[in-house]
Amino acid sequence: MSEHHYDPRAIEAKWQAVWAAERTWEVTNDPGGDKAYVVEMLPYPSGEPHIGHMKNYAIGDAIAHHKRRTGHRVLHPMGYDSFGLPAENNAIKTGVHPRIATERSIDSFRRAFRSWGVSIDWSRELASHEPAYYRWTQWIFLKLYERGLANRRESAVNWCPNDQTVLANEQVVDGRCERCGAEVELRQLEQWFLRITDYAQRLLDDLDTIDWPEHVKTMQRNWIGRSAGAEVHFRCQALGIDYPVFTTRPDTLFGATFFVMAPEHPDVLRLAAGTPAEAQVRDYVNHALTESAQERGDQEKTKTGVFLGRTVTNPVTGEEIPMYVADYVLMEYGTGAIMAVPAHDERDFAFARAYGLPIRQVVAPADGSKPPADQAYVTKADDARLVNSGDFDGLTPREGFERIVAWLEREGIGRAAVSFRLRDWLISRQRYWGCPIPIVYCEDCGIVAVPEDQLPVELPEIEDYQPRGRSPLAAAEQWVNTTCPACGGPARRETDTMDTFVDSSWYFLRYCDARNDKAAWDPAALRQWMSVDQYIGGVEHAILHLLYARFFVKVFADMGLLDVQEPFQSLFTQGMILGPDGQKMSKSRGNVIPPTPLIERHGADAVRAYILNMGPPDQDAAWNDSALQGTHRLLMRLYTLGSQLAADAGGPLATGVAQPAAPSGDALTLVRKANWAIERVSSEFHGRFGFHNAIAAVTELVNELYRLPDADPAARRFAVATAASLIFPFAPHTGAEVYELLSGQRVWEQPWPTADPEMLTAETFELVCQVNGRLRDRVTAPSGAQREQLEQLALRAPGLRAHLDGHEIVKVVVVPGKLVNVVVR
RNA sequence: GCCGCGGUGGUGGAACGGUAGACACGGCGGACUCAAAAUCCGCUGCCCGCAAGGGCGUGAGAGUUCGAAUCUCUCCCGCGGUACCA
């Protein structure tokens, strides 16, 4: 027994040493052959990798191995998203420099990935905090700046009072900081933005060209939030100013009975000035601006607002309608002002009710019925008609939309327009541990880009990481004070750093040419590898990271630096591994499963294979220690079979693992089962990555081998070698070891097995015999049997007699190779 | 509210419109052992029955079909995203 003892530690150490010494997984950029680019989402290195990382790489590595063995040159690299807040917050607490802590974590990540046996091309390893990397992040910023896609402007921004920094819209969840949970405040600050909104339409349209989970695409579509409508100008006669509004319902223009501006609208105070409403407006605006995003976003609260003391003219009715300021109108969307149509918009209706404003119905059901009076009638379906709308009466809302927009265009007071929910990407962060923005401010020249040949602008060493409402970099006087690259005069450096999402929006490009110190990449390298064929990561990045990366790729394509329009052709979103209690793993719940002790006990292969065996990999699944034992047992059984057969043969036989010719009896059963397993495992790589089904197929093959211990050794060798070959993508060390025991060969150098069609069908099959769709018997039938013969076999099946006697046979349904269903009355 | 995804044994889950529950866990029984662990073998959806066998079963209800977990409609429940976006 002991000589067949499965010792994962020894096996794993052996193969990891081989792969490291021979640099087995490195690829060059030499062209030729089919390529496959497989990438797992860039990990943030903090402490040690957790079990979720292991799932990520178990999936990606299986795909990479399969691609290699199906004739692809595979690029499967690794890197670290190594700038970011946790390391900096840790520095504030402990005084340990973020670089020290981060690099320590990177070491531990690297060690872990090696101990998991992941097939990574380590020659392309990168880390976003290294100057050799962020030099090019800065270069990208400059390119965007040159193209007018990066600009600095004052804006109301989300401010996290705890982290003391600005957040992107996407990092605010329910009015709170995504990271620390503090309630987010609004502040007016000068900030750097990237103009992702310029790409909104393309980001939306090109979703149709990529193979991503539908729900992820839906999330992105909703986030981009395209609305088609019209811009309409409302004139304030008293001040002689036209105010544009955006509306998706120009067909309801005749029902606009008042006009509302956001409290942040720059003209609000000016409009109210000199009117009796002035003081009240001032108070209201001041109050609204101090409200938290949370309070303001509460839809349950009664709508509030204040009359501005002015009116605008409804361009179609010519009526003077009152102007209000109200916090339910948002400055960030549309023009920061709306036409209010209370009869057909819920929010306007609520406001009109609260302030006794007129509600004029301009859309009615076509059948003449009355819509309920206590709510807005919100429909633009074709069973409604315009009313009280002058010449447009009787039109459907759809027709009204077209005709009123055409009329507005003719009159020069409006036009068709599209509005997006997507906001520009705010990248300034008042923090230390990030990529410096390569800009200086000169008294004479203003904003000046740091010339490319002076990159990188290196992050200086500082003593005090404490944020004080400005970047800690601002205190590094030596560094901040510089000379203007344009005029040589005194200048100050930008002290904000970039959002770390900038770093991670292009790393997959850098992998293609990771050691290039002359350029961010050689376009030829990208031509060779891009797009990423398979991207694997968590759904939590469905919006932010994936949208930003798509944006960058489109910009680079426009700059001629890249030939593709999308970074990730195919995306797989893995589910979470939950604690044994079915809850999300967290230190506070005490249900965290650290990978290292598991690996020491069961081996990396067992843990990897178990993770894949937990269920469909895109689903969440709770950890179960005893189920892990089950997968461990499979590997052990496979190893035992291999080592016994090898011992029986007196060692590896180079030609001894081929499919034996003309097997019979138990040998035939095994050969068939092996071919069936090849078919099943292979199919999972082309569909849903249901690797639990693939592993189940290998399990069945192994079980069959245990059931037939006396089958011909040649057939057994073939079956065991096949099982080893098929399990290799999921348990690479064990697969390699067993394959070598039998053949002396390296399994990863063998082509992926293909099923022998001859062995996929038997000469007989079990014919299912039904009466009225209910199973009554099963009989053995020849595989090639014709309908007539099958029908006769079924009608003679003993189990059917009782159900046929005394009944009239109405019809007989025959599915060749499957079943016969006798329909009786 | 809106959008999306789900609901199958004690558990995780299988199942091109064609044998529901593969595979695994757990449970029960057995072999080995002084004993235990490990390992190996068998049984294991529920109900009736000594058995042979029969009945019931994929959230609920209807429909299409020779045949529905699978397709259609209505409803219930759960999960995820999003939410004053004009």
Side-chain angles (χ1 to χ4, degrees), chain A residues 87-309:
Chain A
E88 182 165 350
N89 288 341
N90 176 63
I92 293 165
K93 223 185 316 171
T94 66
V96 177
H97 193 290
R99 180 179 302 106
I100 305 294
T102 298
E103 291 181 352
R104 210 177 281 153
S105 292
I106 288 176
D107 283 342
S108 107
F109 268 56
R110 189 186 296 121
R111 217 174 310 122
F113 292 133
R114 287 207 184 258
S115 79
W116 298 348
V118 185
S119 63
I120 289 163
D121 178 350
W122 289 101
S123 72
R124 297 166 187 260
E125 189 185 28
L126 57 81
S128 63
H129 78 286
E130 290 170 348
Y133 182 87
Y134 72 68
R135 168 183 182 182
W136 303 113
T137 307
Q138 292 173 341
W139 176 82
I140 288 166
F141 176 89
L142 293 178
K143 292 288 136 188
L144 292 167
Y145 181 65
E146 275 170 25
R147 289 181 77 86
L149 289 170
N151 56 35
R152 186 171 158 87
R153 60 177 189 257
E154 182 170 300
S155 156
V157 294
N158 301 300
W159 176 264
C160 173
N162 183 45
D163 289 338
Q164 294 272 309
T165 189
V166 150
L167 302 172
N169 266 4
E170 290 84 343
Q171 290 163 322
V172 180
V173 175
D174 289 335
R176 291 175 177 279
C177 172
E178 172 189 59
R179 182 163 288 292
C180 69
E183 209 162 88
V184 167
E185 299 167 5
L186 288 177
R187 282 203 183 177
Q188 292 287 327
L189 288 175
E190 284 257 312
Q191 305 284 327
W192 283 98
F193 288 87
L194 301 186
R195 300 184 49 142
I196 191 171
T197 53
D198 284 9
Y199 284 74
Q201 189 66 52
R202 284 167 63 187
L203 288 167
L204 182 66
D205 292 343
D206 288 353
L207 285 171
D208 295 332
T209 69
I210 49 184
D211 177 22
W212 286 19
E214 207 46 52
H215 67 278
V216 175
K217 291 198 201 182
T218 303
M219 278 190 243
Q220 292 221 343
R221 284 192 191 103
N222 292 343
W223 193 263
I224 295 167
R226 182 185 196 271
S227 302
E231 191 178 286
V232 185
H233 294 261
F234 284 72
R235 188 169 192 80
C236 175
Q237 303 292 350
L239 277 77
I241 302 176
D242 278 342
Y243 287 106
V245 301
F246 174 75
T247 177
T248 53
R249 296 297 304 276
D251 51 311
T252 64
L253 188 49
F254 282 82
T257 54
F258 58 102
F259 185 96
V260 192
M261 284 179 150
E264 296 85 358
H265 196 289
D267 280 7
V268 164
L269 294 175
R270 179 173 160 207
L271 280 159
T275 73
E278 182 170 1
Q280 231 193 323
V281 168
R282 193 175 302 278
D283 286 350
Y284 182 81
V285 169
N286 286 340
H287 173 74
L289 295 184
T290 57
E291 245 180 339
S292 75
Q294 183 98 62
E295 288 162 356
R296 183 161 169 182
D298 182 5
Q299 287 159 65
E300 300 307 309
K301 77 170 185 188
T302 321
K303 300 234 176 313
T304 61
V306 174
F307 177 50
L308 275 175

Side-chain angles (χ1 to χ4, degrees), chain A residues 457-535:
Chain A
V457 174
E458 286 209 42
L459 202 52
E461 298 299 315
I462 59 166
E463 310 272 281
D464 179 11
Y465 308 104
Q466 196 71 45
R468 297 189 158 81
R470 57 174 196 172
S471 168
L473 284 177
E477 285 295 327
Q478 286 278 311
W479 178 83
V480 171
N481 292 310
T482 184
T483 52
C484 171
C487 70
R492 294 178 63 79
R493 291 192 186 280
E494 167 67 63
T495 58
D496 287 350
T497 53
M498 292 186 220
D499 179 4
T500 55
F501 276 114
V502 179
D503 309 328
S504 58
S505 294
W506 72 282
Y507 73 97
F508 45 88
L509 302 176
R510 183 67 181 170
Y511 279 146
C512 300
D513 198 11
R515 297 290 169 258
N516 192 333
D517 59 3
K518 303 284 186 296
W521 58 77
D522 176 352
L526 265 50
R527 217 168 290 129
Q528 182 159 166
W529 293 112
M530 287 297 288
S531 315
V532 173
D533 296 277
Q534 187 62 57
Y535 200 39

Side-chain angles (χ1 to χ4, degrees), chain A residues 645 665-668 670 705 708-716:
Chain A
L645 276 172
D666 288 350
L668 180 58
L670 282 180
L705 277 152
L708 303 174
D710 301 322
D712 169 54
R716 286 175 62 76

Side-chain angles (χ1 to χ4, degrees), chain A residues 65 82 144-145 172 176 232 381 451 530 537 576 629 685 688 713 727 735 789:
Chain A
H65 277 309
S82 44
L144 292 167
Y145 181 65
V172 180
R176 291 175 177 279
V232 185
M530 287 297 288
M576 252 187 303
Q629 300 277 359
F685 283 99
R688 323 166 303 164
I727 204 76
Q789 189 187 353

Side-chain angles (χ1 to χ4, degrees), chain A residues 202-463:
Chain A
R202 284 167 63 187
L203 288 167
L204 182 66
D205 292 343
D206 288 353
L207 285 171
D208 295 332
T209 69
I210 49 184
D211 177 22
W212 286 19
E214 207 46 52
H215 67 278
V216 175
K217 291 198 201 182
T218 303
M219 278 190 243
Q220 292 221 343
R221 284 192 191 103
N222 292 343
W223 193 263
I224 295 167
R226 182 185 196 271
S227 302
E231 191 178 286
V232 185
H233 294 261
F234 284 72
R235 188 169 192 80
C236 175
Q237 303 292 350
L239 277 77
I241 302 176
D242 278 342
Y243 287 106
V245 301
F246 174 75
T247 177
T248 53
R249 296 297 304 276
D251 51 311
T252 64
L253 188 49
F254 282 82
T257 54
F258 58 102
F259 185 96
V260 192
M261 284 179 150
E264 296 85 358
H265 196 289
D267 280 7
V268 164
L269 294 175
R270 179 173 160 207
L271 280 159
T275 73
E278 182 170 1
Q280 231 193 323
V281 168
R282 193 175 302 278
D283 286 350
Y284 182 81
V285 169
N286 286 340
H287 173 74
L289 295 184
T290 57
E291 245 180 339
S292 75
Q294 183 98 62
E295 288 162 356
R296 183 161 169 182
D298 182 5
Q299 287 159 65
E300 300 307 309
K301 77 170 185 188
T302 321
K303 300 234 176 313
T304 61
V306 174
F307 177 50
L308 275 175
R310 303 284 185 185
T311 61
V312 286
T313 312
N314 179 322
V316 281
T317 63
E319 279 172 303
E320 287 301 306
I321 59 175
M323 299 179 86
Y324 280 78
V325 55
D327 67 1
Y328 81 92
V329 173
L330 308 175
M331 192 60 218
E332 312 89 73
Y333 187 76
T335 61
I338 62 158
M339 67 177 212
V341 184
H344 307 293
D345 180 277
E346 282 171 33
R347 297 148 302 177
D348 298 342
F349 183 86
F351 191 80
R353 270 294 174 85
Y355 290 90
L357 293 161
I359 299 172
R360 183 191 303 137
Q361 192 188 347
V362 292
V363 180
D367 61 10
S369 63
K370 278 217 177 319
D374 58 345
Q375 61 183 62
Y377 177 60
V378 187
T379 181
K380 42 186 169 182
D382 287 344
D383 61 354
R385 295 290 181 272
L386 267 52
V387 296
N388 298 322
S389 298
D391 295 345
F392 302 98
D393 278 1
L395 299 178
T396 65
R398 199 193 307 262
E399 294 160 346
F401 184 114
E402 299 297 326
R403 301 269 293 274
I404 289 175
V405 169
W407 181 85
L408 288 167
E409 279 175 0
R410 270 201 306 281
E411 297 291 314
I413 48 175
R415 58 186 178 85
V418 167
S419 187
F420 292 95
R421 207 191 81 118
L422 184 69
R423 305 267 62 85
D424 274 337
W425 176 14
L426 171 74
I427 59 158
S428 301
R429 295 290 181 277
Q430 292 68 47
R431 301 297 300 236
Y432 170 68
W433 191 234
C435 176
I437 296 173
I439 289 287
V440 301
Y441 300 99
C442 168
E443 280 166 37
D444 295 325
C445 315
I447 298 177
V448 180
V450 174
E452 280 179 34
D453 59 14
Q454 291 177 26
L455 298 182
V457 174
E458 286 209 42
L459 202 52
E461 298 299 315
I462 59 166
E463 310 272 281

Side-chain angles (χ1 to χ4, degrees), chain A residues 769 777-779 792-802 804:
Chain A
C769 305
D777 206 350
R778 292 161 207 187
V779 297
Q792 288 312 311
L793 276 167
L795 289 172
R796 282 200 303 269
L800 267 63
R801 182 142 315 142
L804 296 178

